[in-house]
Amino acid sequence: MKLTVVGCSGSFPSAESACSSYLVEADGFRLLLDMGNGALGELQRHCGLYDLDAIFLSHLHADHCIDMCAYFVARFYRHDGTCDALPVYAPDGAEQRLATAYADVPSATAMSEVFDFRTLKPGSFDLGPFRVRAERVCHPVEAFGIRIEHAGRAVTYSGDTGVCDALDELAADTDLFLCEASFTHGKEDIPELHLNGREAGLHATRARAKRLVLTHIPPWTDGERNLADAREVYDGPAELARPGAVYEL
Ligand SMILES: [Zn+2]
Ligand SMILES: [Zn+2]
C-alpha cells in the first residue's frame, strides 16, 4: 500500500500546499481521500487526471471537497467524451452540495453521469483491493474517519474531528495514522471541532498507532509546535505531513 500526500493544508491552502487530499494505491487501484482546494492540480503530479478508481470524501466542508467541481468539468467535458461514473463515497447530500457549489450544472443528472455517489454509513466494506471501515467522527457536519487495510497493513485517516472514541477504534494498531491537528494546545479550545497536537498524540497513544503523521494544519498554525506537543504524549515516530510525501507500507 502506498500513500501520497497530495495536499495537507488545513481549512485553506497555504503557499506550499493545497488543502486535504491523499492518494492511496495498491494493486494498481487508486483511491483518493478528499479533494480540497487546489488538490486537482497537485494530483496531476502523481497520477493521470483520469486514473482514479474511487474517491472518498470525509465530509462536505469546502476544504475537503470543493475541487470536485473542477473535476466535474474535467470528466464531463473531456475531449474524448464524457467519462464513466466514478464511485464517490461521501456523506449524504454530496451530489446536491457539489451541484449547488458548481451553480450551473448543464442538467439535473450531469453530476451523477460522471460521479456514482454512494452514501457513507458507519461500518466496513470492500473497496477495490481494500477493506475499509468508515465511522462518524466529531465535527459540526456529518464527518467520517476511515481505516484502509490491505495485505495486513492499515492506514487510518481522521478527516476533521474533535476528540472522539471512534477515532481510537479506527486507528487501533494502525501502521500509519494520518491525524488532523488544526488547533494549538492552550490557544484554541473549541470542543467537537478539531484536535490540537497534544490531542492527536493522545489519540495515537491510546490507539497504539505505529506511526503518526500530523496533517490539516492551517497556515496560521505553527506545525512544529503541534508536533512537539504530540511528541510529549506519543512515543512512536511522529512527523508533519508534507505535500508530495510518499509512505510505502
Ligand atoms: Zn477541514
Ligand atoms: Zn471540516
PDB file of all heavy atoms in Angstrom, residues 125-154:
ATOM      1  N   PHE A 125     -16.620  -2.174   4.551  1.00  0.00           N
ATOM      2  CA  PHE A 125     -16.994  -2.663   3.216  1.00  0.00           C
ATOM      3  C   PHE A 125     -15.734  -2.828   2.379  1.00  0.00           C
ATOM      4  O   PHE A 125     -14.674  -2.297   2.720  1.00  0.00           O
ATOM      5  CB  PHE A 125     -18.003  -1.726   2.540  1.00  0.00           C
ATOM      6  CG  PHE A 125     -17.557  -0.285   2.384  1.00  0.00           C
ATOM      7  CD1 PHE A 125     -17.013   0.168   1.200  1.00  0.00           C
ATOM      8  CD2 PHE A 125     -17.696   0.619   3.442  1.00  0.00           C
ATOM      9  CE1 PHE A 125     -16.602   1.492   1.057  1.00  0.00           C
ATOM     10  CE2 PHE A 125     -17.293   1.943   3.305  1.00  0.00           C
ATOM     11  CZ  PHE A 125     -16.754   2.378   2.110  1.00  0.00           C
ATOM     12  N   ASP A 126     -15.874  -3.577   1.284  1.00  0.00           N
ATOM     13  CA  ASP A 126     -14.760  -3.760   0.363  1.00  0.00           C
ATOM     14  C   ASP A 126     -14.763  -2.634  -0.658  1.00  0.00           C
ATOM     15  O   ASP A 126     -15.815  -2.239  -1.178  1.00  0.00           O
ATOM     16  CB  ASP A 126     -14.890  -5.098  -0.372  1.00  0.00           C
ATOM     17  CG  ASP A 126     -14.681  -6.283   0.558  1.00  0.00           C
ATOM     18  OD1 ASP A 126     -13.782  -6.191   1.411  1.00  0.00           O
ATOM     19  OD2 ASP A 126     -15.421  -7.276   0.436  1.00  0.00           O
ATOM     20  N   LEU A 127     -13.587  -2.128  -0.946  1.00  0.00           N
ATOM     21  CA  LEU A 127     -13.446  -1.039  -1.922  1.00  0.00           C
ATOM     22  C   LEU A 127     -12.211  -1.373  -2.761  1.00  0.00           C
ATOM     23  O   LEU A 127     -11.087  -1.219  -2.282  1.00  0.00           O
ATOM     24  CB  LEU A 127     -13.268   0.293  -1.175  1.00  0.00           C
ATOM     25  CG  LEU A 127     -13.686   1.586  -1.880  1.00  0.00           C
ATOM     26  CD1 LEU A 127     -13.466   2.783  -0.968  1.00  0.00           C
ATOM     27  CD2 LEU A 127     -12.984   1.784  -3.203  1.00  0.00           C
ATOM     28  N   GLY A 128     -12.420  -1.888  -3.974  1.00  0.00           N
ATOM     29  CA  GLY A 128     -11.288  -2.371  -4.771  1.00  0.00           C
ATOM     30  C   GLY A 128     -10.539  -3.424  -3.966  1.00  0.00           C
ATOM     31  O   GLY A 128     -11.162  -4.314  -3.371  1.00  0.00           O
ATOM     32  N   PRO A 129      -9.210  -3.317  -3.889  1.00  0.00           N
ATOM     33  CA  PRO A 129      -8.438  -4.328  -3.155  1.00  0.00           C
ATOM     34  C   PRO A 129      -8.415  -4.079  -1.646  1.00  0.00           C
ATOM     35  O   PRO A 129      -7.796  -4.841  -0.902  1.00  0.00           O
ATOM     36  CB  PRO A 129      -7.025  -4.143  -3.734  1.00  0.00           C
ATOM     37  CG  PRO A 129      -6.966  -2.693  -4.080  1.00  0.00           C
ATOM     38  CD  PRO A 129      -8.356  -2.314  -4.528  1.00  0.00           C
ATOM     39  N   PHE A 130      -9.087  -3.026  -1.210  1.00  0.00           N
ATOM     40  CA  PHE A 130      -9.024  -2.627   0.204  1.00  0.00           C
ATOM     41  C   PHE A 130     -10.230  -3.131   0.988  1.00  0.00           C
ATOM     42  O   PHE A 130     -11.344  -3.244   0.450  1.00  0.00           O
ATOM     43  CB  PHE A 130      -8.994  -1.095   0.330  1.00  0.00           C
ATOM     44  CG  PHE A 130      -7.894  -0.432  -0.447  1.00  0.00           C
ATOM     45  CD1 PHE A 130      -8.200   0.400  -1.525  1.00  0.00           C
ATOM     46  CD2 PHE A 130      -6.561  -0.626  -0.110  1.00  0.00           C
ATOM     47  CE1 PHE A 130      -7.206   1.017  -2.247  1.00  0.00           C
ATOM     48  CE2 PHE A 130      -5.552  -0.004  -0.839  1.00  0.00           C
ATOM     49  CZ  PHE A 130      -5.872   0.820  -1.906  1.00  0.00           C
ATOM     50  N   ARG A 131      -9.995  -3.355   2.256  1.00  0.00           N
ATOM     51  CA  ARG A 131     -11.080  -3.485   3.226  1.00  0.00           C
ATOM     52  C   ARG A 131     -11.088  -2.163   3.981  1.00  0.00           C
ATOM     53  O   ARG A 131     -10.064  -1.769   4.556  1.00  0.00           O
ATOM     54  CB  ARG A 131     -10.798  -4.650   4.172  1.00  0.00           C
ATOM     55  CG  ARG A 131     -11.933  -4.910   5.183  1.00  0.00           C
ATOM     56  CD  ARG A 131     -13.146  -5.491   4.492  1.00  0.00           C
ATOM     57  NE  ARG A 131     -14.263  -5.706   5.443  1.00  0.00           N
ATOM     58  CZ  ARG A 131     -15.509  -5.948   5.071  1.00  0.00           C
ATOM     59  NH1 ARG A 131     -15.808  -5.998   3.777  1.00  0.00           N
ATOM     60  NH2 ARG A 131     -16.470  -6.134   5.950  1.00  0.00           N
ATOM     61  N   VAL A 132     -12.177  -1.465   3.962  1.00  0.00           N
ATOM     62  CA  VAL A 132     -12.214  -0.159   4.627  1.00  0.00           C
ATOM     63  C   VAL A 132     -13.286  -0.159   5.710  1.00  0.00           C
ATOM     64  O   VAL A 132     -14.277  -0.891   5.637  1.00  0.00           O
ATOM     65  CB  VAL A 132     -12.456   1.009   3.635  1.00  0.00           C
ATOM     66  CG1 VAL A 132     -11.484   0.955   2.474  1.00  0.00           C
ATOM     67  CG2 VAL A 132     -13.881   1.017   3.129  1.00  0.00           C
ATOM     68  N   ARG A 133     -13.057   0.677   6.691  1.00  0.00           N
ATOM     69  CA  ARG A 133     -14.059   0.895   7.736  1.00  0.00           C
ATOM     70  C   ARG A 133     -14.216   2.401   7.901  1.00  0.00           C
ATOM     71  O   ARG A 133     -13.223   3.131   8.066  1.00  0.00           O
ATOM     72  CB  ARG A 133     -13.606   0.267   9.055  1.00  0.00           C
ATOM     73  CG  ARG A 133     -14.604   0.501  10.183  1.00  0.00           C
ATOM     74  CD  ARG A 133     -14.129  -0.134  11.485  1.00  0.00           C
ATOM     75  NE  ARG A 133     -14.993   0.277  12.597  1.00  0.00           N
ATOM     76  CZ  ARG A 133     -14.714   0.077  13.876  1.00  0.00           C
ATOM     77  NH1 ARG A 133     -13.598  -0.540  14.224  1.00  0.00           N
ATOM     78  NH2 ARG A 133     -15.549   0.498  14.814  1.00  0.00           N
ATOM     79  N   ALA A 134     -15.439   2.871   7.815  1.00  0.00           N
ATOM     80  CA  ALA A 134     -15.720   4.299   7.998  1.00  0.00           C
ATOM     81  C   ALA A 134     -16.562   4.458   9.261  1.00  0.00           C
ATOM     82  O   ALA A 134     -17.467   3.658   9.508  1.00  0.00           O
ATOM     83  CB  ALA A 134     -16.479   4.844   6.794  1.00  0.00           C
ATOM     84  N   GLU A 135     -16.248   5.449  10.062  1.00  0.00           N
ATOM     85  CA  GLU A 135     -17.033   5.722  11.274  1.00  0.00           C
ATOM     86  C   GLU A 135     -17.238   7.227  11.394  1.00  0.00           C
ATOM     87  O   GLU A 135     -16.365   8.016  11.004  1.00  0.00           O
ATOM     88  CB  GLU A 135     -16.313   5.216  12.530  1.00  0.00           C
ATOM     89  CG  GLU A 135     -16.157   3.702  12.599  1.00  0.00           C
ATOM     90  CD  GLU A 135     -17.472   2.934  12.737  1.00  0.00           C
ATOM     91  OE1 GLU A 135     -18.481   3.542  13.131  1.00  0.00           O
ATOM     92  OE2 GLU A 135     -17.477   1.717  12.423  1.00  0.00           O
ATOM     93  N   ARG A 136     -18.373   7.600  11.969  1.00  0.00           N
ATOM     94  CA  ARG A 136     -18.624   9.019  12.196  1.00  0.00           C
ATOM     95  C   ARG A 136     -17.672   9.540  13.257  1.00  0.00           C
ATOM     96  O   ARG A 136     -17.468   8.910  14.296  1.00  0.00           O
ATOM     97  CB  ARG A 136     -20.069   9.247  12.643  1.00  0.00           C
ATOM     98  CG  ARG A 136     -21.066   9.085  11.505  1.00  0.00           C
ATOM     99  CD  ARG A 136     -22.407   9.758  11.824  1.00  0.00           C
ATOM    100  NE  ARG A 136     -23.338   9.537  10.716  1.00  0.00           N
ATOM    101  CZ  ARG A 136     -24.207   8.523  10.670  1.00  0.00           C
ATOM    102  NH1 ARG A 136     -24.292   7.680  11.678  1.00  0.00           N
ATOM    103  NH2 ARG A 136     -24.995   8.373   9.620  1.00  0.00           N
ATOM    104  N   VAL A 137     -17.103  10.708  12.989  1.00  0.00           N
ATOM    105  CA  VAL A 137     -16.250  11.380  13.961  1.00  0.00           C
ATOM    106  C   VAL A 137     -16.952  12.659  14.401  1.00  0.00           C
ATOM    107  O   VAL A 137     -18.116  12.903  14.036  1.00  0.00           O
ATOM    108  CB  VAL A 137     -14.833  11.615  13.378  1.00  0.00           C
ATOM    109  CG1 VAL A 137     -14.096  10.281  13.217  1.00  0.00           C
ATOM    110  CG2 VAL A 137     -14.906  12.350  12.048  1.00  0.00           C
ATOM    111  N   CYS A 138     -16.278  13.483  15.161  1.00  0.00           N
ATOM    112  CA  CYS A 138     -16.954  14.567  15.876  1.00  0.00           C
ATOM    113  C   CYS A 138     -16.643  15.931  15.231  1.00  0.00           C
ATOM    114  O   CYS A 138     -15.553  16.479  15.416  1.00  0.00           O
ATOM    115  CB  CYS A 138     -16.467  14.523  17.326  1.00  0.00           C
ATOM    116  SG  CYS A 138     -17.338  15.627  18.387  1.00  0.00           S
ATOM    117  N   HIS A 139     -17.593  16.447  14.460  1.00  0.00           N
ATOM    118  CA  HIS A 139     -17.381  17.669  13.688  1.00  0.00           C
ATOM    119  C   HIS A 139     -18.755  18.319  13.505  1.00  0.00           C
ATOM    120  O   HIS A 139     -19.767  17.617  13.618  1.00  0.00           O
ATOM    121  CB  HIS A 139     -16.736  17.275  12.341  1.00  0.00           C
ATOM    122  CG  HIS A 139     -15.950  18.358  11.684  1.00  0.00           C
ATOM    123  ND1 HIS A 139     -14.962  19.082  12.326  1.00  0.00           N
ATOM    124  CD2 HIS A 139     -15.985  18.840  10.406  1.00  0.00           C
ATOM    125  CE1 HIS A 139     -14.456  19.965  11.474  1.00  0.00           C
ATOM    126  NE2 HIS A 139     -15.045  19.841  10.313  1.00  0.00           N
ATOM    127  N   PRO A 140     -18.850  19.604  13.214  1.00  0.00           N
ATOM    128  CA  PRO A 140     -20.173  20.249  13.135  1.00  0.00           C
ATOM    129  C   PRO A 140     -21.072  19.731  12.015  1.00  0.00           C
ATOM    130  O   PRO A 140     -22.279  19.919  12.060  1.00  0.00           O
ATOM    131  CB  PRO A 140     -19.843  21.727  12.916  1.00  0.00           C
ATOM    132  CG  PRO A 140     -18.454  21.886  13.404  1.00  0.00           C
ATOM    133  CD  PRO A 140     -17.768  20.583  13.131  1.00  0.00           C
ATOM    134  N   VAL A 141     -20.513  19.117  10.993  1.00  0.00           N
ATOM    135  CA  VAL A 141     -21.310  18.472   9.953  1.00  0.00           C
ATOM    136  C   VAL A 141     -21.010  16.977   9.997  1.00  0.00           C
ATOM    137  O   VAL A 141     -20.027  16.559  10.608  1.00  0.00           O
ATOM    138  CB  VAL A 141     -20.979  19.032   8.546  1.00  0.00           C
ATOM    139  CG1 VAL A 141     -21.311  20.510   8.470  1.00  0.00           C
ATOM    140  CG2 VAL A 141     -19.525  18.772   8.188  1.00  0.00           C
ATOM    141  N   GLU A 142     -21.877  16.162   9.357  1.00  0.00           N
ATOM    142  CA  GLU A 142     -21.591  14.722   9.342  1.00  0.00           C
ATOM    143  C   GLU A 142     -20.206  14.507   8.738  1.00  0.00           C
ATOM    144  O   GLU A 142     -19.926  14.969   7.621  1.00  0.00           O
ATOM    145  CB  GLU A 142     -22.649  13.969   8.525  1.00  0.00           C
ATOM    146  CG  GLU A 142     -22.457  12.470   8.613  1.00  0.00           C
ATOM    147  CD  GLU A 142     -23.473  11.689   7.790  1.00  0.00           C
ATOM    148  OE1 GLU A 142     -23.844  12.152   6.688  1.00  0.00           O
ATOM    149  OE2 GLU A 142     -23.882  10.606   8.256  1.00  0.00           O
ATOM    150  N   ALA A 143     -19.353  13.813   9.459  1.00  0.00           N
ATOM    151  CA  ALA A 143     -17.965  13.635   9.023  1.00  0.00           C
ATOM    152  C   ALA A 143     -17.508  12.229   9.381  1.00  0.00           C
ATOM    153  O   ALA A 143     -17.896  11.682  10.418  1.00  0.00           O
ATOM    154  CB  ALA A 143     -17.056  14.665   9.683  1.00  0.00           C
ATOM    155  N   PHE A 144     -16.682  11.656   8.510  1.00  0.00           N
ATOM    156  CA  PHE A 144     -16.214  10.289   8.699  1.00  0.00           C
ATOM    157  C   PHE A 144     -14.690  10.241   8.757  1.00  0.00           C
ATOM    158  O   PHE A 144     -13.996  10.943   8.015  1.00  0.00           O
ATOM    159  CB  PHE A 144     -16.678   9.402   7.538  1.00  0.00           C
ATOM    160  CG  PHE A 144     -18.149   9.118   7.549  1.00  0.00           C
ATOM    161  CD1 PHE A 144     -19.053  10.020   6.998  1.00  0.00           C
ATOM    162  CD2 PHE A 144     -18.643   7.960   8.151  1.00  0.00           C
ATOM    163  CE1 PHE A 144     -20.419   9.761   7.018  1.00  0.00           C
ATOM    164  CE2 PHE A 144     -20.017   7.700   8.170  1.00  0.00           C
ATOM    165  CZ  PHE A 144     -20.903   8.598   7.614  1.00  0.00           C
ATOM    166  N   GLY A 145     -14.197   9.377   9.647  1.00  0.00           N
ATOM    167  CA  GLY A 145     -12.807   8.932   9.588  1.00  0.00           C
ATOM    168  C   GLY A 145     -12.805   7.605   8.858  1.00  0.00           C
ATOM    169  O   GLY A 145     -13.846   6.948   8.738  1.00  0.00           O
ATOM    170  N   ILE A 146     -11.637   7.203   8.361  1.00  0.00           N
ATOM    171  CA  ILE A 146     -11.588   5.955   7.586  1.00  0.00           C
ATOM    172  C   ILE A 146     -10.312   5.182   7.908  1.00  0.00           C
ATOM    173  O   ILE A 146      -9.237   5.762   8.105  1.00  0.00           O
ATOM    174  CB  ILE A 146     -11.691   6.247   6.063  1.00  0.00           C
ATOM    175  CG1 ILE A 146     -11.842   4.956   5.267  1.00  0.00           C
ATOM    176  CG2 ILE A 146     -10.514   7.075   5.578  1.00  0.00           C
ATOM    177  CD1 ILE A 146     -12.181   5.169   3.788  1.00  0.00           C
ATOM    178  N   ARG A 147     -10.490   3.859   7.986  1.00  0.00           N
ATOM    179  CA  ARG A 147      -9.355   2.941   8.122  1.00  0.00           C
ATOM    180  C   ARG A 147      -9.306   2.099   6.856  1.00  0.00           C
ATOM    181  O   ARG A 147     -10.341   1.562   6.418  1.00  0.00           O
ATOM    182  CB  ARG A 147      -9.559   2.048   9.341  1.00  0.00           C
ATOM    183  CG  ARG A 147      -8.478   0.994   9.554  1.00  0.00           C
ATOM    184  CD  ARG A 147      -8.891   0.044  10.672  1.00  0.00           C
ATOM    185  NE  ARG A 147      -7.913  -0.999  10.917  1.00  0.00           N
ATOM    186  CZ  ARG A 147      -6.983  -0.957  11.867  1.00  0.00           C
ATOM    187  NH1 ARG A 147      -6.915   0.067  12.687  1.00  0.00           N
ATOM    188  NH2 ARG A 147      -6.118  -1.946  12.022  1.00  0.00           N
ATOM    189  N   ILE A 148      -8.132   1.999   6.258  1.00  0.00           N
ATOM    190  CA  ILE A 148      -7.973   1.281   4.993  1.00  0.00           C
ATOM    191  C   ILE A 148      -6.960   0.163   5.213  1.00  0.00           C
ATOM    192  O   ILE A 148      -5.823   0.438   5.614  1.00  0.00           O
ATOM    193  CB  ILE A 148      -7.472   2.236   3.890  1.00  0.00           C
ATOM    194  CG1 ILE A 148      -8.453   3.400   3.737  1.00  0.00           C
ATOM    195  CG2 ILE A 148      -7.299   1.511   2.570  1.00  0.00           C
ATOM    196  CD1 ILE A 148      -7.818   4.645   3.198  1.00  0.00           C
ATOM    197  N   GLU A 149      -7.368  -1.066   4.945  1.00  0.00           N
ATOM    198  CA  GLU A 149      -6.481  -2.209   5.154  1.00  0.00           C
ATOM    199  C   GLU A 149      -6.180  -2.901   3.830  1.00  0.00           C
ATOM    200  O   GLU A 149      -7.052  -3.003   2.957  1.00  0.00           O
ATOM    201  CB  GLU A 149      -7.130  -3.214   6.118  1.00  0.00           C
ATOM    202  CG  GLU A 149      -7.363  -2.638   7.504  1.00  0.00           C
ATOM    203  CD  GLU A 149      -7.997  -3.644   8.456  1.00  0.00           C
ATOM    204  OE1 GLU A 149      -8.341  -4.761   8.024  1.00  0.00           O
ATOM    205  OE2 GLU A 149      -8.153  -3.279   9.641  1.00  0.00           O
ATOM    206  N   HIS A 150      -4.943  -3.358   3.728  1.00  0.00           N
ATOM    207  CA  HIS A 150      -4.530  -4.116   2.543  1.00  0.00           C
ATOM    208  C   HIS A 150      -3.306  -4.954   2.897  1.00  0.00           C
ATOM    209  O   HIS A 150      -2.329  -4.415   3.446  1.00  0.00           O
ATOM    210  CB  HIS A 150      -4.185  -3.165   1.381  1.00  0.00           C
ATOM    211  CG  HIS A 150      -3.743  -3.895   0.141  1.00  0.00           C
ATOM    212  ND1 HIS A 150      -2.423  -4.118  -0.154  1.00  0.00           N
ATOM    213  CD2 HIS A 150      -4.460  -4.478  -0.857  1.00  0.00           C
ATOM    214  CE1 HIS A 150      -2.335  -4.777  -1.295  1.00  0.00           C
ATOM    215  NE2 HIS A 150      -3.560  -5.011  -1.742  1.00  0.00           N
ATOM    216  N   ALA A 151      -3.370  -6.242   2.610  1.00  0.00           N
ATOM    217  CA  ALA A 151      -2.240  -7.149   2.806  1.00  0.00           C
ATOM    218  C   ALA A 151      -1.638  -7.025   4.210  1.00  0.00           C
ATOM    219  O   ALA A 151      -0.418  -6.981   4.376  1.00  0.00           O
ATOM    220  CB  ALA A 151      -1.168  -6.911   1.730  1.00  0.00           C
ATOM    221  N   GLY A 152      -2.494  -6.967   5.190  1.00  0.00           N
ATOM    222  CA  GLY A 152      -2.025  -6.970   6.578  1.00  0.00           C
ATOM    223  C   GLY A 152      -1.548  -5.633   7.107  1.00  0.00           C
ATOM    224  O   GLY A 152      -1.069  -5.554   8.248  1.00  0.00           O
ATOM    225  N   ARG A 153      -1.637  -4.594   6.298  1.00  0.00           N
ATOM    226  CA  ARG A 153      -1.244  -3.257   6.763  1.00  0.00           C
ATOM    227  C   ARG A 153      -2.466  -2.355   6.804  1.00  0.00           C
ATOM    228  O   ARG A 153      -3.434  -2.574   6.076  1.00  0.00           O
ATOM    229  CB  ARG A 153      -0.186  -2.639   5.834  1.00  0.00           C
ATOM    230  CG  ARG A 153       1.003  -3.531   5.548  1.00  0.00           C
ATOM    231  CD  ARG A 153       1.716  -4.022   6.789  1.00  0.00           C
ATOM    232  NE  ARG A 153       2.354  -2.982   7.565  1.00  0.00           N
ATOM    233  CZ  ARG A 153       3.626  -2.584   7.416  1.00  0.00           C
ATOM    234  NH1 ARG A 153       4.380  -3.142   6.492  1.00  0.00           N
ATOM    235  NH2 ARG A 153       4.124  -1.638   8.195  1.00  0.00           N
ATOM    236  N   ALA A 154      -2.373  -1.310   7.644  1.00  0.00           N
ATOM    237  CA  ALA A 154      -3.523  -0.411   7.799  1.00  0.00           C
ATOM    238  C   ALA A 154      -3.080   1.049   7.841  1.00  0.00           C
ATOM    239  O   ALA A 154      -2.073   1.399   8.457  1.00  0.00           O
ATOM    240  CB  ALA A 154      -4.277  -0.750   9.082  1.00  0.00           C
TER     241      ALA A 154
END
